[in-house]
Amino acid sequence: MSNSNKNRSTINPIESALDVDSADEIRWSDSADVVVVGWGAAGASAAIEARTQGADVLVIDRFSGGGASVLSGGVVYAGGGTRYQKQAGYEDSPEAMADYLKHEANGVVSEQTLARFSRESVSNLDWLEKQGVRFDSSMPQYKTSYPPDGVYLYYSGNEVVPAYGNAKLQARPAPRGHRVVAKGQSGATFFAALKQSTLDNGARALTQARVRRLVREQATGRIIGVEVWVLPEGDARTERHKKLDELVAKWRLYQAPRAQAGRREAAQIENEVGEKRFIRAHKAVILSTGGYIFNADLMDQHAPAYKPGWLTGAAGCDGSGLRLGQSVGGVGKDLHNISAWRFITPPSVWPKGLVVNARGERFCNEQVYGAKLGYEMMEKQGGKAWLIIDGSLRRQATWQCLFGGLWAFQSMPALALMYKVALKGSSVADLARKMDADAATLQRQFDEANAAARGEREDAMGKSKDMRHEFKGGSLFAIDISINQKMFPLAVLSLGGLQVNEDDGGVLDGAGQNIPGLFAAGRTAIGIASSRYVSGLSLADCVFSGRRAGRAAAVLHDVVKAPVMAGAGVAALEGVGQS
């Protein structure tokens, strides 16, 4: 095995399940009714719900908790008539919400599950508020990928795009992006409330601990526990491991090689000083460790074209939950589904320009949500595209970047792209030459777009009238928005996961049967957000699927409780459970 392959296999070690004839074969160091593996939004929701149902809960996290939820924007997709929608003057209904989500889910979950998700949306938002999460009804004045401070309700998806309209909502489309009230990115505030609620509700937490394999009762196939490697308290390398989680979060976007080195160092610490223990799950194990974006092997296998993108997630998004489920017969589904975020707003006027492929041909409505544009670009255009604007749009965009209250991560790249990166053409033909596109094809796009802007025809891509723009001559600017554009990184994250029973979140085997005692939630599982991503849908699904799994796990019948041996972390029988 080459050194590179060896490093890959040891950075994310997951072992085959430990099969035992009886739980009595293991010296358990601890036990709980429900063991939750991964303490992000899904894991916290599962733990809180299981405790509410009266179960004893232990939640395990490789680091200190939070996962990708902490790094997120803290947006929860909610609708059906939330009080914040009503305060902002919008009507909504569960039926209208589900009707819209059909466009995004694309059949990845059943219509019944979409309807249930939509019906429970208001109550799930209320539930979050009971855990200490705050929301508000203030709206932005323009379309944005993420609203500024002081603004907490917005169109986080494609609701205002004509092709996504629905007859079930009589009034104007309703905004459903509920950003958590906080200064700066809201994810940390969102998870802090869930973390505190997890503990306040009586769940216990084991952090700096990595689950390496599941323990299975051979005769029944039931999952009865986990093998976990725990870093020793007070050890200097344990403190270094904790610090690495913070550092990798800072490095992950702008210093990707350094972040990857940090992830390798963290894994090395786990392998060298981790102490093996066995933890008994009397009722069930819930897997909620996030996606797999930082697992190079899985990326090579399922999504190699996306590897040049801006890999987005926490250090623990290495597919460990997915692989634990697969180790006992769980089935990975839609693992090729990757969300690619090509946001071209703000500036809010950029979507009035034209997005074309390498040939110079439009292929998507420019006003769609960034993940929809990213999907069309990656899956159908080989990851290459241009955004074309004129001098008028550039002036408007520049004003908004300088004086419009945008986030620096929105305004600075936009200015650099317009003034440092863009190709300038004196005419369509001149620009086509510099883009290496077909001049006749590109000219046809301008002619059709101008005719639509003048009201002489419908827009070929379905762009709404307020977003159409007539190009009246003068300089044109073509901005490369391809995946390889370093000045404009394309954020990507994995969406596929374990196939689960949509009624209870139980992990399914190849025959479509529940694996006894095993559940999954969040991005470890197939869910509402597993086909197309819109802002807030993943966190909302983490709450929905986490509560579903926690509720179901907590009411499973107890299995016979084996004794817990204080301080024990090895198998009682010689050779059992040894690596």
Side-chain angles (χ1 to χ4, degrees):
M1 180 183 291
S2 68
N3 287 335
S4 61
N5 286 337
K6 183 177 181 181
N7 287 338
R8 280 188 177 187
S9 65
T10 57
I11 192 172
N12 305 304
I14 295 295
E15 299 177 33
S16 300
L18 173 59
D19 286 317
V20 296
D21 292 327
S22 166
D24 295 336
E25 296 179 21
I26 302 292
R27 286 185 181 174
W28 305 100
S29 62
D30 201 350
S31 71
D33 292 328
V34 177
V35 174
V36 180
V37 183
W39 196 12
S45 298
I48 295 167
E49 189 66 30
R51 281 293 302 137
T52 301
Q53 300 296 325
D56 176 37
V57 178
L58 175 67
V59 59
I60 303 173
D61 197 83
R62 184 183 171 194
F63 293 100
S64 300
S69 303
V70 165
L71 306 178
S72 75
V75 178
V76 177
Y77 192 89
T82 71
R83 64 189 179 102
Y84 303 104
Q85 290 177 314
K86 294 176 181 177
Q87 288 171 8
Y90 291 90
E91 297 179 22
D92 199 7
S93 69
E95 293 77 19
M97 181 178 173
D99 192 58
Y100 164 73
L101 285 175
K102 290 177 186 177
H103 294 280
E104 307 293 0
N106 294 301
V108 74
V109 296
S110 69
E111 290 192 9
Q112 291 82 359
T113 296
L114 274 182
R116 177 183 174 187
F117 175 78
S118 301
R119 285 196 310 271
E120 295 179 3
S121 183
V122 170
S123 61
N124 277 333
L125 201 72
D126 292 343
W127 181 85
L128 282 171
E129 291 186 293
K130 291 177 182 177
Q131 314 315 315
V133 182
R134 295 174 54 223
F135 301 97
D136 193 78
S137 60
S138 51
M139 290 275 294
Q141 297 179 346
Y142 50 80
K143 182 176 174 62
T144 180
S145 60
Y146 190 73
D149 277 346
V151 178
Y152 301 104
L153 178 67
Y154 72 118
Y155 290 104
S156 63
N158 291 300
E159 293 86 356
V160 298
V161 179
Y164 289 78
N166 66 78
K168 293 182 175 146
L169 190 62
Q170 299 301 317
R172 51 188 170 164
R176 300 191 182 103
H178 291 66
R179 178 188 161 205
V180 173
V181 174
K183 288 185 177 181
Q185 298 280 304
S186 299
T189 300
F190 169 78
F191 181 72
L194 287 182
K195 182 177 184 178
Q196 188 60 51
S197 182
T198 303
L199 301 175
D200 289 346
N201 275 280
R204 294 174 291 128
L206 177 62
T207 57
Q208 310 301 118
R210 181 165 198 156
V211 173
R212 293 275 287 263
R213 62 174 161 177
L214 299 173
V215 181
R216 177 172 56 187
E217 188 176 60
Q218 199 161 13
T220 63
R222 182 167 185 150
I223 307 307
I224 61 172
V226 299
E227 177 188 303
V228 58
W229 291 44
V230 184
L231 299 186
E233 294 185 14
D235 188 284
R237 299 196 69 182
T238 301
E239 293 304 311
R240 172 62 178 171
H241 182 270
K242 185 180 299 184
K243 184 66 176 178
L244 280 169
D245 186 34
E246 301 173 8
L247 294 174
V248 167
K250 294 178 181 178
W251 297 336
R252 65 194 167 91
L253 297 181
Y254 300 103
Q255 301 180 64
R258 194 177 185 187
Q260 181 61 8
R263 284 187 284 271
R264 284 195 296 267
E265 183 183 350
Q268 183 177 359
I269 292 172
E270 293 162 0
N271 294 336
E272 292 179 356
V273 302
E275 299 172 351
K276 182 163 63 176
R277 303 179 190 174
F278 290 94
I279 297 177
R280 181 79 165 92
H282 295 299
K283 290 178 179 287
V285 171
I286 300 175
L287 304 174
S288 54
T289 65
Y292 74 81
I293 201 70
F294 290 118
N295 186 303
D297 291 329
L298 290 175
M299 287 294 290
D300 283 342
Q301 182 180 354
H302 299 289
Y306 290 85
K307 291 187 71 176
W310 213 7
L311 306 184
T312 302
C317 292
D318 58 8
S320 57
L322 166 68
R323 290 179 297 138
L324 283 167
Q326 290 175 321
S327 74
V328 292
V331 178
K333 182 182 177 185
D334 294 321
L335 298 180
H336 64 284
N337 278 355
I338 302 291
S339 185
W341 300 350
R342 179 46 80 223
F343 289 107
I344 58 170
T345 179
S348 60
V349 298
W350 269 13
K352 293 185 176 183
L354 302 180
V355 170
V356 300
N357 59 21
R359 299 184 301 276
E361 186 176 26
R362 288 177 75 197
F363 61 88
C364 187
N365 184 337
E366 292 83 0
Q367 69 184 113
V368 297
Y369 177 74
K372 169 64 174 175
L373 178 57
Y375 170 82
E376 295 292 331
M377 183 182 78
M378 289 299 300
E379 293 295 323
K380 301 180 183 179
Q381 308 301 330
K384 298 179 180 180
W386 299 85
L387 167 65
I388 302 175
I389 60 175
D390 61 8
S392 172
L393 293 178
R394 189 171 79 152
R395 286 191 295 273
Q396 295 174 61
T398 300
W399 188 94
Q400 190 176 37
C401 288
L402 295 176
F403 308 111
L406 303 185
W407 295 97
F409 71 80
Q410 296 168 333
S411 62
M412 297 304 291
L415 290 169
L417 288 166
M418 289 189 291
Y419 289 94
K420 294 292 185 182
V421 174
L423 300 178
K424 182 179 180 180
S426 58
S427 65
V428 174
D430 182 41
L431 190 66
R433 179 180 58 82
K434 293 178 178 179
M435 293 166 55
D436 196 25
D438 180 74
T441 298
L442 188 60
Q443 183 64 60
R444 187 166 62 252
Q445 313 310 304
F446 276 87
D447 293 343
E448 292 177 354
N450 284 342
R454 293 190 296 265
E456 299 168 3
R457 56 168 294 171
E458 286 302 312
D459 183 79
M461 294 294 147
K463 185 181 286 188
S464 59
K465 292 180 179 179
D466 63 310
M467 295 304 293
R468 300 174 190 177
H469 174 73
E470 185 176 3
F471 294 81
K472 298 181 178 180
S475 297
L476 296 170
F477 304 90
I479 300 170
D480 184 359
I481 61 173
S482 305
I483 188 172
N484 292 315
Q485 173 55 260
K486 300 301 182 186
M487 191 65 72
F488 197 22
L490 181 70
V492 298
L493 75 161
S494 63
L495 299 180
L498 292 168
Q499 193 164 356
V500 296
N501 182 327
E502 294 179 23
D503 290 332
D504 61 10
V507 176
L508 299 179
D509 62 18
Q513 300 299 310
N514 281 48
I515 296 173
L518 188 64
F519 297 80
R523 295 287 58 78
T524 299
I526 290 295
I528 308 296
S530 294
S531 176
R532 301 288 180 270
Y533 185 95
V534 300
S535 289
L537 196 56
S538 185
L539 286 186
D541 186 49
C542 283
V543 174
F544 172 76
S545 64
R547 294 187 69 193
R548 177 180 66 186
R551 206 159 35 234
V555 299
L556 286 181
H557 294 299
D558 288 8
V559 294
V560 178
K561 296 190 176 183
V564 174
M565 309 296 290
V570 296
L573 297 182
E574 185 177 356
V576 175
Q578 300 304 309
S579 301

